[in-house]
């Protein structure tokens, strides 16, 4: 087979599909989608050579919080104009740096200090996170990513979502921020990490100020945000897309990766919550307020998308991989002990072997699909579709053929 992974992915107008990858927020639990992506990239390499990378196959990669960081890692170019991180590198990055981003408190009075921190300020100062993300992503900006990206944040000054989108930056240069600024912003989870302020300057010299926190406030599962950005671009008449109706989901091929949740066992009860004040909602067995709004956001997106794809009989176009059986510290976003991080990797590996699950539209609970296809088998199937779509575009595009190695 001819190897074409060094050639940029040609626009959807030369193919049959619009390919989307979405990655949820979830702190250290980013190890779970990182493990899934490592498997997917290895399957793509089996088909198209060891130089194949995730960014070579998706029209848009979207991520919130830790998912936004993974998105940047997979799409930021190095000096050879290839991704600074392969998918297999994500695990080592998290294992090495998470204990320093989220240093564990060994104080015997931990419950008391935890409560004091919740009142006094964010749990972590974020300095190490700023340092390492800036070192890894350097001076690269939004417009330089190797494929389109969509990373949600939330501006606490305007009380509006701010979406850093490769599609939007073509229309509005003021969002062409440094990728490390974007990553720090989308990761600034309330109570955990401090909000992030920075400025950009457009070609006319006009300055725009951003005051941002975690994108999970707006969209912890950013799949619909990514699809919305694509739809707006299609409606705008972009030549990169074939003429389709904005709601024609038949052309979308979507992989949505969760970071795990413990909702099956249930963390909280109404009896407990009825007694909580401000501190209770921020400290009782975790951070209930943060858990509730991020998980509700993610689940509603999955519920909506599955309902639409099911109604159109397009089950095979949408793959959601999520583990809703996490318990204890495994479901935390910041317990960065060596054991817990290692257990998260094992959780991702075990998730590959589990059957594909889909939300029951009556109960809201995820259930295995009737055909018992595993997540691993589904990813192998998707890898073949992604490779075929890439090859088709390469053959049909004059730009792809012009760049074929002689």
């Amino acid at each position: 087979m001819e190897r074409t992974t060094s050639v940029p992915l040609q626009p959807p107008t030369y193919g049959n599909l619009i390919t989307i990858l979405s990655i949820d927020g979830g702190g250290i639990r980013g190890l779970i989608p990182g493990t899934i992506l490592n498997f997917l990239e290895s399957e793509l390499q089996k088909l198209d050579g060891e130089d194949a990378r995730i960014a070579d196959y998706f029209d848009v990669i979207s991520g919130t919080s830790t998912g936004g960081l993974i998105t940047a890692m997979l799409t930021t170019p190095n000096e050879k104009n290839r991704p600074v991180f392969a998918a297999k590198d994500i695990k080592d990055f998290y294992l090495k740096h998470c204990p320093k981003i989220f240093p564990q408190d060994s104080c015997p009075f931990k419950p008391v200090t935890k409560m004091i921190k919740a009142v006094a300020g964010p749990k972590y100062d974020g300095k190490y996170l700023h340092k390492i993300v800036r070192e890894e992503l350097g001076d690269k900006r939004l417009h330089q990513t190797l494929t389109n990206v969509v990373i949600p944040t939330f501006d606490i000054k305007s009380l509006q979502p701010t979406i850093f989108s490769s599609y939007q930056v073509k229309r509005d240069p003021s969002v062409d921020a440094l990728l490390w600024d974007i990553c720090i912003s989308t990761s600034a989870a309330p109570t955990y990490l401090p909000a992030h302020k920075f400025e950009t300057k457009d070609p006319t010299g006009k300055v725009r100020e951003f005051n941002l926190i975690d994108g999970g406030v707006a969209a912890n599962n950013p799949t619909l945000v990514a699809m919305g950005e694509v739809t707006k671009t299609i409606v705008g008449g972009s030549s990169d897309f074939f003429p389709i109706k904005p709601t024609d989901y038949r052309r979308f091929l979507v992989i949505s990766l969760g970071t795990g949740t413990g909702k099956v066992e249930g963390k909280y009860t109404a009896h407990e919550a009825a007694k909580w004040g401000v501190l209770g909602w921020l400290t009782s067995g975790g951070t209930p307020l943060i858990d509730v709004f991020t998980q509700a956001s993610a689940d509603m997106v999955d519920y909506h998308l599955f309902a639409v794809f099911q109604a159109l009989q397009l089950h095979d176009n949408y793959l959601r991989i999520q583990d809703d059986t996490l318990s204890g510290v495994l479901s935390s976003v910041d317990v960065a002990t060596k054991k817990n991080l290692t257990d998260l990797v094992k959780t991702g590996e075990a998730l590959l072997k589990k059957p594909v699950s889909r939300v029951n539209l009556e109960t809201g609970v995820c259930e295995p699909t009737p055909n018992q296809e595993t997540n691993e088998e589904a990813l192998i199937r998707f890898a073949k579709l992604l490779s075929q779509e890439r090859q088709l575009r390469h053959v049909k595009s004059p730009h792809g053929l012009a760049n074929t190695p002689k």
Side-chain angles (χ1 to χ4, degrees):
M1 179 182 293
E2 185 179 24
R3 307 303 187 193
T4 61
T5 51
S6 61
V7 180
L9 179 63
Q10 299 303 301
T13 190
Y14 298 111
N16 294 325
L17 302 167
I18 301 168
T19 55
I20 295 174
L21 171 64
S22 176
I23 311 164
D24 286 13
I28 60 171
R29 300 199 312 268
L31 275 164
I32 295 175
T35 302
I36 304 297
L37 289 169
N38 182 24
F39 178 82
L40 175 59
E41 191 168 89
S42 68
E43 289 301 313
L44 292 168
Q45 290 169 347
K46 291 178 184 177
L47 296 168
D48 295 329
E50 62 181 16
D51 291 333
R53 296 289 183 269
I54 293 291
D56 297 329
Y57 296 87
F58 288 96
D59 293 305
V60 55
I61 302 178
S62 184
T64 296
S65 193
T66 198
L69 176 57
I70 293 173
T71 296
M73 292 165 71
L74 296 174
T75 61
T76 299
N78 61 17
E79 65 280 357
K80 296 181 180 179
N81 209 38
R82 298 297 288 152
V84 291
F85 283 83
K88 64 180 177 60
D89 300 325
I90 295 172
K91 179 183 77 171
D92 290 340
F93 177 89
Y94 275 72
L95 293 178
K96 179 179 179 181
H97 298 296
C98 281
K100 299 176 184 177
I101 296 170
F102 303 113
Q104 300 303 291
D105 191 348
S106 59
C107 174
F109 305 106
K110 184 177 179 180
V112 177
T113 59
K114 181 179 177 182
M115 186 173 294
I116 293 173
K117 285 183 178 179
V119 175
K123 192 172 180 181
Y124 307 100
D125 61 26
K127 291 180 180 179
Y128 185 82
L129 177 62
H130 287 221
K131 172 181 174 292
I132 194 62
V133 173
R134 190 169 191 170
E135 286 177 1
E136 296 291 351
L137 303 183
D139 61 356
K140 298 297 188 296
R141 291 185 176 271
L142 179 60
H143 79 275
Q144 294 174 286
T145 55
L146 295 170
T147 191
N148 298 297
V149 301
V150 174
I151 301 176
T153 65
F154 190 84
D155 196 304
I156 56 173
K157 189 172 183 179
S158 64
L159 292 181
Q160 291 286 331
T162 297
I163 299 170
F164 290 93
S165 161
S166 299
Y167 300 108
Q168 184 182 356
V169 77
K170 297 171 184 176
R171 306 185 299 270
D172 180 7
S174 71
V175 298
D176 192 23
L178 289 163
L179 287 167
W180 77 267
D181 271 327
I182 296 173
C183 287
I184 294 301
S185 300
T186 193
S187 302
T191 77
Y192 287 98
L193 290 162
H196 188 53
K197 177 182 177 180
F198 64 91
E199 296 178 344
T200 60
K201 187 180 295 186
D202 70 16
T204 67
K206 184 179 179 180
V207 174
R208 178 174 176 180
E209 179 183 286
F210 296 89
N211 296 269
L212 304 176
I213 60 172
D214 192 343
V217 174
N220 203 51
N221 176 345
T223 312
L224 273 179
V225 179
M227 295 177 73
E229 287 295 297
V230 169
T231 300
K232 284 194 297 183
T233 305
I234 294 172
V235 171
S238 171
S239 61
D240 283 348
F241 293 89
F242 30 67
I244 65 171
K245 296 178 180 179
T247 55
D248 189 357
Y249 280 46
R250 291 172 178 80
R251 294 297 189 112
F252 286 101
L253 188 72
V254 180
I255 298 177
S256 175
L257 303 181
T259 56
T261 171
K263 70 177 182 182
V264 167
E265 289 195 11
K267 280 189 173 183
Y268 318 110
T269 66
H271 178 72
E272 294 170 326
K275 304 172 185 177
W276 293 341
V278 174
L279 286 179
W281 278 100
L282 293 175
T283 63
S284 298
T287 49
L289 189 63
I290 309 299
D291 292 344
V292 168
F293 74 67
T294 56
Q295 198 54 53
S297 165
D299 284 354
M300 285 303 293
V301 170
D302 182 38
Y303 185 92
H304 169 80
L305 282 174
F306 179 65
V308 172
F309 278 101
Q310 182 186 54
L312 296 173
Q313 297 184 335
L314 297 171
H315 306 92
D316 292 340
N317 287 46
Y318 173 62
L319 176 63
R320 171 70 170 170
I321 299 181
Q322 172 73 310
D323 190 330
D324 59 4
T325 65
L326 304 186
S327 61
V329 296
L330 205 60
S331 64
S332 76
V333 299
D334 68 327
V335 180
T337 62
K338 183 177 181 180
K339 181 182 185 307
N340 197 40
L341 295 174
T342 301
D343 286 346
L344 284 169
V345 174
K346 293 177 181 177
T347 298
E349 293 170 346
L351 186 56
L352 287 168
K353 305 296 183 182
K354 292 183 178 181
V356 172
S357 295
R358 291 176 180 149
V359 64
N360 183 314
L361 297 178
E362 297 296 326
T363 66
V365 176
C366 287
E367 301 171 348
T369 55
N371 66 5
Q372 292 295 299
E373 180 184 41
T374 66
N375 290 313
E376 190 173 71
E377 291 167 340
L379 287 168
I380 292 172
R381 176 168 55 83
F382 267 72
K384 292 176 181 176
L385 293 172
L386 290 166
S387 178
Q388 291 167 2
E389 175 68 13
R390 180 179 173 80
Q391 294 293 335
L392 174 64
R393 296 187 195 181
H394 176 74
V395 170
K396 292 180 68 175
S397 167
H399 304 292
L401 289 175
N403 286 284
T404 300
K406 303 298 183 182

